[in-house]
Amino acid sequence: MFGAYQAGVWEVLSNTFMPDLVVGASIGALNGWAIAGGCPPEELRDLWLDVPEAAAYRWRVPRDPWGGMIDAKALESRIRNLHSRFRPRIPIGIVITDLLRLRPILVQNTDISWEHLAASCAVLGVLPQVRLNGRMFSDGGLLGALPLWAAVEMGADRIIAINAMPRMPATVRTAIFALRSLSRHRPPDPVNMEKVVISASTRLGGLRDALFWKRDNADRWLNLGRRDAARLKHSIPSMF
């Protein structure tokens, strides 16, 4: 649900510049798809203010390790609807994680299906993992919440990045650290590239807040995103 923060940031940034391409991972894949498809910032904001299907999930015992503890049918329906409503007007890339190889994969433009969007948001152990072409894929932010490497691979030479979760919950941080230590993926860090990173200035919440929608939380995160973006937007026009 932390995507509301990103929507708040975009509401401010959209008055400053229009990106040449968009990259998203995890919940950012959904926002990225909408932005690349021309979704007005006000509409994106309203989408995050009305996610009732994520307010009360049906819990279940998964049949296998990839099944997830949450029945995600309602969320999948929302993702399918989002995917069908928008088509890329500018280049878009989303990141998904190959679970067997523990490598992030970049999927671009019209190759992106609703299943790719669902895979990029598939929190390991909580939501169902997504099988594509015989392989199992997971959350695009599993090995890196801010995939700057993917933007570089798509040709970006200046980056405006939004990091909704610079401070992960302790349990999540420990699990992700273990997975990253097993992965051989070592993406190049574009240290010399001109970039602005807008990060949440206060902790958005814990794992439960990330999974369960509450309108009060969405409102608060939208406002925080607007404030954080407003503090840095003066540094953006000079980049273009």
Side-chain angles (χ1 to χ4, degrees):
M1 296 302 111
F2 293 162
Y5 174 82
Q6 299 170 343
V9 172
W10 176 241
E11 202 171 352
V12 172
L13 296 189
S14 61
N15 295 319
T16 304
F17 85 113
M18 176 56 66
D20 295 317
L21 61 89
V22 177
V23 170
S26 197
I27 202 65
L30 302 186
N31 284 332
W33 180 262
I35 291 168
C39 178
E42 299 79 14
E43 183 177 346
L44 186 61
R45 172 200 66 205
D46 291 344
L47 286 173
W48 284 107
L49 289 174
D50 185 26
V51 195
E53 62 268 34
Y57 295 111
R58 287 180 55 198
W59 293 89
R60 64 185 183 182
V61 177
R63 295 179 180 177
D64 55 59
W66 320 118
M69 296 184 296
I70 286 176
D71 184 342
K73 289 185 177 64
L75 285 178
E76 289 175 357
S77 178
R78 175 172 280 255
I79 292 172
R80 285 197 300 269
N81 182 55
L82 182 78
H83 182 268
S84 66
R85 285 179 59 194
F86 300 104
R87 281 294 177 268
R89 299 181 183 180
I90 58 175
I92 164 105
I94 69 161
V95 178
I96 58 179
T97 301
D98 185 323
L99 274 179
L100 178 62
R101 299 177 181 176
L102 279 182
R103 288 187 61 86
I105 304 295
L106 176 63
V107 188
Q108 300 183 48
N109 304 319
T110 55
D111 288 339
I112 300 171
S113 66
W114 78 264
E115 289 95 341
H116 290 106
L117 295 180
S120 193
C121 300
V123 179
L124 185 61
V126 179
L127 291 170
Q129 307 301 280
V130 178
R131 189 178 297 275
L132 296 165
N133 298 321
R135 303 188 73 87
M136 197 70 73
F137 290 91
S138 187
D139 192 312
L142 193 61
L143 301 176
L146 212 60
L148 303 184
W149 63 269
V152 174
E153 189 170 316
M154 290 184 66
D157 53 16
R158 288 159 292 180
I159 297 175
I160 311 297
I162 305 172
N163 190 353
M165 199 164 58
R167 305 170 189 84
M168 295 184 182
T171 52
V172 176
R173 186 168 61 245
T174 300
I176 288 180
F177 178 80
L179 287 170
R180 289 176 182 173
S181 66
L182 293 173
S183 173
R184 296 182 179 181
H185 179 67
R186 298 293 182 269
D189 184 8
V191 291
N192 297 320
M193 180 177 291
E194 192 174 6
K195 59 183 178 290
V196 171
V197 179
I198 300 173
S199 298
S201 54
T202 62
R203 184 170 176 266
L204 300 185
L207 183 60
R208 184 176 180 82
D209 297 308
L211 293 173
F212 287 86
W213 176 83
K214 292 182 180 178
R215 187 182 175 95
D216 288 348
N217 279 345
D219 263 325
R220 179 165 55 87
W221 298 335
L222 281 162
N223 286 328
L224 181 63
R226 294 184 192 107
R227 291 198 300 271
D228 288 345
R231 280 197 291 268
L232 288 174
K233 74 173 184 178
H234 66 277
S235 62
I236 293 173
S238 62
M239 295 177 65
F240 300 93

